[in-house]
Amino acid sequence: MPNWLKTSLKILAGLALLLVLVVVGLSLYITFNKAKVLKMVNEQLAKSVDGTLVIGDMQPRFFKGFPDVSLSLKNVTIRDKQFARHKHTLLDAKEFDVSINTAALFRGTIDVNHIEISNAAIDLYTDTSGYSNTAVFKKDNKKVKDNKSESSSSTQLKKFTLNNVGFTLNDEKAHKLFSFGVNDLRGHMTYPDTGWRADFHLDVMAKSMAFNSLRGSFIKNKHLVGDFVAGYNEDKGRINIKATPLNIGDDPFNINAVFETAKAPTSFTIYVAADKILWRNAGALLAPNINKALKRFDLAKPIAVTASISGSFGGGGDPLLYVTAKTRNNKLTIPGSIIDNCNFDGIFTNSYIKSQPLGDENSVIKLIGLTGTYNHLPFKVDTGTIVNLVKPIATGNFKSTFPAADLNYFFDDNEAKFSNGWADINLNYRADVVDYEINKPKVQGAIHFREADIDYFPRGIKLKKTSFSINFVKDDLILSNIRLQSGRSVVTMNGRVNNFLNVYYDAPEKILLTWQIKSPQLYLGEFLGFLGARKAAPAKPATANSPNIVRQLSNALERGKAEMHLEVDNLHYNKFLATNTRADLLTTEDGIILKNVSLQHAGGSLNINGRITQGKGLNNFGINTVVSNVNMREFFYAFDNFGLKDFTYENLKGYLSARAKITGGITNAGSIVPRSINGNIDLNLKNAALLNFKPITGVGKFAFPFRDLKNIMIPSLDAHFDLKGDNIIIHPLELSSSVINMDVAGVYGLNNGTDIALDVPLRNPEKDAEITDQAELKKRRFKGIVVHIRAHEEGGKMKIGWNKNHK
């Protein structure tokens, strides 16, 4: 070994031995001069406090922190002068280890290289008046040097460690409460020219991070673990802290924080980002007032989240929040519904209007580019917004294009069924949000259906190739370009409900839907479902996909009234055909009112006013009808002889005019209910003929065997009848015909009860047609022998004989 190397090793060994001896000596010095050293420490620290600082004991640690001298302080407490009033101890440390620079100690000063605090509690308290127990530290750091040998350099902390330390910052004036249980905090510091830099590892339990204690805490009772880098720029008074990552619970976050200390009060901005976090985990990190709204929703897959929290430690109130969230192809659960294939970019802030105070009332949630499928229905909302978490208002533009058959998922099996065709929805909506559900939305926009087939089961209606548009314009509902096809019927319609949105939710019975309806041909039999009462679907318990909006609209339109103005070129009902039909109809909850019904039929016309009252299986009607100059044979044929069996269209010829006021019953199938007809009829016959009418021909065989009673020509006849169930009351009438004259009165029974009196002159009136003088004709009418006949029913058989009580 070279001599120079041997010499160098000897020198190094000597220096090491000297250093050890110095440290041992210093340790022994402290041990035997504890009181003097403790006094020195207390005096040094007392210069920075305005209160009480108590160190229970001090022990040297020989080689811990070598070559520095390490002191272990026991039971260290720091209290301000107001402790007796507020009872908050600033520092209560069971173990407080300090590593002191050896060289500085020889100069009579204290330089702390390492502080380790264990089993301690740090409580920074500010009361409602603004007084803080940190006042224990003197604000005037300027000092007059009494000893020229005292170092002018500032004390610099090199390393720090905290174990099992509780830290609380409680500012009652600003309503801020931060509380942490520090399991492990260890790091080191360097001091560049600009200030300082710290690298440290953190393991804490965040018990409270209440930027506004009135609202509750962020990150409450969460375990935080991470490595941090912090730096302080003395010129700018700015502290920067960064952690990549910081694990909060089981979720990793990137953290960046900035604290501006140059001006009081200290302001802060904290940036938080997570690439993947479950919705409920993210919500649990926020204050209760925000999480209360968010936890009513859920996303099945993790989402990307960022958050910015800005505020100050001086004033009260909420910090400024700006939160973003992004998700793709997720499953969103909202109150009452599930949205599949969900995509959106979300924003939350509590500063919707910059000039307004921060808080729930000034908060906004925005969902940008929201797409998904709701109950198999694809949709898009460009920007959905919920403003004010106290009284939430939701707005947005809802768009969807889908096969009409997808609507079947919104209806029960016994309500409606769609097939074929397409639907388009484009609606702007504004709605209150009650209990986090959309309530009473106000909408503007349109819904279009194209060539859809619809089975509407409550009314038994089947529609083919149906097209229509539903337009919401201001408060009105406009239905336009409606084309319905049911069997052979083709109908075009346009409708309108004025003030729809104002009565839809609170008073649907006040809805009046006005229709303009036109049809080239309409078969009433295909719409008989509207005669009966609506078939109510059985109650169904609400599910996650309950289509309450669709059902609300259906029920509202059912409870409301419809005013229909019809123009039908050809109206068919069984054998009946009418042309140029015009009608005004008003539907109510229990029926239909008919006004100004006019139509052409059988060469004449009919005018009808009336009402149909709906019931279960039986519907009551009342009509006032004016019949003008219709062909009797066609008229009776079209109406199936009005229920008469012995008197049919085959017995009639000529033209009929009449006025009728009739009530009765009609089934849901459109058939007249037997024995239900009541009312009265005034009729007039012109150029009529009675053909092969058995009651007359029967009398003819008995009284006029040589006259042609099978073809009785009646130039004119006026008659009045009362209808009472199965019976037709014939008021006295004068029948003047080509083969016989008679006066008739009595009762004609449709099933039984016939009792008719006939006064018949025996003379043949065949030549009376040549008499033009009406007075002479009336005088000759009953000239000669008059036979009084009675046709009545006994034992189910018709009997014809003399009428002994003819007077």
Side-chain angles (χ1 to χ4, degrees):
M1 178 181 296
N3 291 331
W4 64 267
L5 181 57
K6 291 181 180 180
T7 304
S8 298
L9 291 175
K10 290 179 181 179
I11 293 172
L12 290 174
L15 291 174
L17 179 60
L18 178 62
L19 183 60
V20 170
L21 292 174
V22 170
V23 171
V24 172
L26 287 173
S27 299
L28 293 174
Y29 174 81
I30 293 174
T31 300
F32 293 105
N33 297 275
K34 180 188 299 186
K36 181 178 178 180
V37 175
L38 186 59
K39 179 181 179 182
M40 185 187 302
V41 172
N42 283 326
E43 288 177 352
Q44 181 72 17
L45 294 176
K47 296 177 182 179
S48 299
V49 298
D50 185 16
T52 61
L53 187 154
V54 177
I55 300 176
D57 192 16
M58 180 175 65
Q59 295 291 336
R61 298 289 182 89
F62 288 99
F63 294 104
K64 185 175 181 179
F66 182 83
D68 295 336
V69 175
S70 295
L71 298 177
S72 178
L73 309 180
K74 305 292 185 181
N75 301 319
V76 179
T77 59
I78 300 176
R79 294 172 177 170
D80 66 304
K81 291 183 177 180
Q82 299 294 325
F83 170 78
R85 176 177 60 83
H86 57 67
K87 304 298 183 183
H88 287 270
T89 299
L90 181 67
L91 174 66
D92 183 359
K94 302 303 179 185
E95 298 179 24
F96 195 118
D97 294 345
V98 182
S99 179
I100 303 172
N101 184 287
T102 304
L105 187 63
F106 280 112
R107 295 195 301 269
T109 63
I110 302 279
D111 277 351
V112 180
N113 284 340
H114 184 201
I115 290 179
E116 180 176 352
I117 303 175
S118 301
N119 303 316
I122 301 172
D123 187 356
L124 307 181
Y125 171 74
T126 302
D127 65 16
T128 55
S129 68
Y131 173 80
S132 174
N133 64 352
T134 58
V136 69
F137 299 109
K138 293 182 179 180
K139 295 182 180 180
D140 187 3
N141 292 323
K142 295 179 181 180
K143 57 184 179 179
V144 178
K145 296 181 181 179
D146 297 326
N147 188 347
K148 293 182 180 181
S149 65
E150 185 178 347
S151 173
S152 62
S153 62
S154 61
T155 301
Q156 294 181 341
L157 175 64
K158 303 298 189 302
K159 294 181 181 180
F160 52 90
T161 303
L162 278 72
N163 293 297
N164 191 26
V165 175
F167 174 82
T168 301
L169 189 157
N170 183 5
D171 189 336
E172 293 183 347
K173 181 179 181 181
H175 302 293
K176 301 185 186 302
L177 176 61
F178 300 90
S179 178
F180 302 92
V182 181
N183 301 318
D184 182 27
L185 172 62
R186 60 183 67 247
H188 65 275
M189 301 182 66
T190 58
Y191 296 87
D193 294 339
T194 56
W196 53 259
R197 171 189 169 95
D199 297 271
F200 57 94
H201 173 78
L202 177 69
D203 181 349
V204 304
M205 174 62 71
K207 299 178 180 179
S208 175
M209 285 187 63
F211 296 95
N212 182 350
S213 58
L214 301 178
R215 302 288 191 187
S217 170
F218 291 76
I219 316 181
K220 187 176 180 64
N221 296 326
K222 295 293 181 181
H223 188 201
L224 280 63
V225 178
D227 294 316
F228 288 77
V229 175
Y232 173 65
N233 187 302
E234 189 172 5
D235 294 335
K236 297 180 179 179
R238 179 179 299 162
I239 300 174
N240 291 278
I241 301 175
K242 182 177 182 180
T244 53
L246 171 65
N247 291 311
I248 303 177
D250 295 327
D251 299 301
F253 289 83
N254 294 325
I255 305 293
N256 282 281
V258 178
F259 296 85
E260 302 286 354
T261 64
K263 296 181 180 179
T266 297
S267 63
F268 62 87
T269 301
I270 302 173
Y271 300 94
V272 182
D275 294 332
K276 292 182 178 181
I277 184 172
L278 289 173
W279 176 271
R280 292 196 176 277
N281 290 1
L285 302 180
L286 302 176
N289 62 311
I290 302 173
N291 188 36
K292 180 182 178 181
L294 296 182
K295 70 180 181 181
R296 297 297 300 269
F297 308 86
D298 194 19
L299 285 163
K301 300 178 182 178
I303 60 176
V305 175
T306 68
S308 171
I309 306 171
S310 302
S312 70
F313 292 103
D318 293 344
L320 172 63
L321 303 177
Y322 189 87
V323 182
T324 70
K326 181 182 293 186
T327 187
R328 297 293 182 266
N329 194 29
N330 215 325
K331 181 178 182 179
L332 171 63
T333 301
I334 63 178
S337 301
I338 291 176
I339 297 175
D340 294 306
N341 305 315
C342 182
N343 306 277
F344 66 80
D345 292 338
I347 296 174
F348 167 80
T349 180
N350 59 351
S351 180
Y352 178 56
I353 300 175
K354 303 302 181 184
S355 59
Q356 297 296 323
L358 305 176
D360 289 350
E361 295 86 348
N362 195 26
S363 294
V364 61
I365 298 172
K366 291 185 178 180
L367 300 179
I368 302 170
L370 172 62
T371 62
T373 55
Y374 169 62
N375 208 16
H376 299 270
L377 203 73
F379 72 91
K380 177 181 179 180
V381 177
D382 293 335
T383 300
T385 302
I386 299 177
V387 178
N388 188 339
L389 297 184
V390 177
K391 296 180 179 179
I393 299 293
T395 59
N397 178 244
F398 183 93
K399 296 180 181 179
S400 182
T401 299
F402 53 91
D406 286 351
L407 285 174
N408 293 330
Y409 294 101
F410 287 82
F411 293 93
D412 294 332
D413 292 339
N414 54 358
E415 285 186 318
K417 181 179 180 181
F418 288 77
S419 58
N420 300 323
W422 286 82
D424 297 290
I425 300 176
N426 189 347
L427 296 174
N428 289 300
Y429 64 86
R430 177 183 175 88
D432 297 332
V433 181
V434 177
D435 198 21
Y436 307 100
E437 293 187 2
I438 296 296
N439 182 57
K440 299 182 178 181
K442 300 286 186 179
V443 295
Q444 300 285 292
I447 303 173
H448 304 286
F449 285 86
R450 304 190 305 272
E451 297 193 349
D453 294 343
I454 306 172
D455 287 344
Y456 186 55
F457 300 119
R459 293 294 187 183
I461 302 299
K462 293 185 177 182
L463 304 174
K464 299 292 184 180
K465 296 185 179 299
T466 302
S467 299
F468 60 92
S469 296
I470 302 174
N471 298 277
F472 296 91
V473 181
K474 295 184 179 179
D475 290 331
D476 300 338
L477 173 66
I478 300 173
L479 300 100
S480 59
N481 304 319
I482 300 175
R483 183 187 182 278
L484 307 178
Q485 182 173 340
S486 177
R488 294 170 291 175
S489 300
V490 177
V491 180
T492 58
M493 305 171 62
N494 289 285
R496 185 182 189 102
V497 180
N498 291 326
N499 203 31
F500 173 75
L501 292 177
N502 290 325
V503 298
Y504 170 68
Y505 300 105
D506 301 321
E509 68 279 359
K510 295 182 179 180
I511 290 176
L512 178 60
L513 175 56
T514 303
W515 287 107
Q516 303 296 332
I517 303 173
K518 294 183 179 182
S519 175
Q521 60 179 19
L522 182 66
Y523 289 81
L524 282 179
E526 296 169 354
F527 296 90
L528 288 178
F530 285 100
L531 278 179
R534 182 179 187 268
K535 300 175 185 176
K540 185 176 181 180
T543 64
N545 286 317
S546 293
N548 54 358
I549 296 176
V550 175
R551 191 169 289 114
Q552 280 179 357
L553 181 59
S554 176
N555 291 337
L557 294 178
E558 285 289 340
R559 292 183 62 189
K561 300 178 179 66
E563 182 181 276
M564 295 178 281
H565 305 282
L566 286 84
E567 297 181 10
V568 182
D569 295 338
N570 295 285
L571 178 65
H572 300 266
Y573 179 65
N574 292 336
K575 301 173 184 179
F576 177 80
L577 171 63
T579 58
N580 298 321
T581 301
R582 303 292 183 268
D584 297 328
L585 279 70
L586 177 65
T587 67
T588 63
E589 280 195 44
D590 62 350
I592 303 172
I593 298 174
L594 296 86
K595 292 183 177 181
N596 307 318
V597 180
S598 65
L599 55 89
Q600 294 178 355
H601 169 68
S605 64
L606 282 76
N607 291 278
I608 304 171
N609 289 280
R611 182 183 183 112
I612 299 174
T613 302
Q614 298 168 329
K616 294 183 178 180
L618 175 63
N619 311 289
N620 297 315
F621 70 86
I623 60 172
N624 296 324
T625 304
V626 176
V627 182
S628 301
N629 202 40
V630 298
N631 184 297
M632 283 197 297
R633 177 179 285 264
E634 295 179 21
F635 188 62
F636 270 68
Y637 173 79
F639 284 97
D640 202 18
N641 303 311
F642 295 95
L644 302 177
K645 296 179 180 179
D646 298 327
F647 189 71
T648 70
Y649 72 95
E650 294 177 338
N651 303 122
L652 295 171
K653 183 180 178 181
Y655 294 91
L656 167 68
S657 295
R659 288 181 178 273
K661 185 176 182 180
I662 300 172
T663 63
I666 185 171
T667 67
N668 290 344
S671 300
I672 299 296
V673 177
R675 297 180 292 278
S676 68
I677 300 298
N678 291 279
N680 56 77
I681 301 174
D682 292 303
L683 63 80
N684 170 263
L685 303 181
K686 296 292 186 183
N687 301 321
L690 192 59
L691 308 175
N692 298 315
F693 184 50
K694 290 182 179 180
I696 300 297
T697 57
V699 173
K701 290 179 181 180
F702 173 74
F704 310 103
F706 304 108
R707 297 184 193 181
D708 184 12
L709 296 180
K710 292 182 178 181
N711 185 8
I712 303 174
M713 306 298 293
I714 306 172
S716 177
L717 174 65
D718 292 313
H720 178 74
F721 303 96
D722 288 336
L723 308 179
K724 294 184 178 181
D726 281 351
N727 296 325
I728 301 174
I729 311 301
I730 306 171
H731 288 256
L733 63 86
E734 296 180 354
L735 174 63
S736 300
S737 70
S738 60
V739 296
I740 190 172
N741 293 332
M742 66 177 69
D743 287 355
V744 182
V747 177
Y748 176 75
L750 298 179
N751 292 302
N752 53 58
T754 297
D755 192 351
I756 300 175
L758 300 95
D759 295 338
V760 184
L762 295 181
R763 60 177 292 275
N764 192 339
E766 183 177 4
K767 295 182 180 181
D768 288 355
E770 299 174 1
I771 302 173
T772 58
D773 187 341
Q774 294 298 319
E776 178 63 23
L777 184 63
K778 185 174 183 180
K779 182 179 179 181
R780 289 173 59 88
R781 186 174 183 277
F782 267 73
K783 188 176 181 179
I785 300 173
V786 178
V787 178
H788 303 286
I789 301 172
R790 181 187 179 198
H792 67 286
E793 186 177 355
E794 287 185 8
K797 295 182 179 181
M798 184 66 66
K799 292 186 177 182
I800 300 175
W802 302 111
N803 187 4
K804 298 178 181 180
N805 300 317
H806 64 277
K807 293 184 180 180

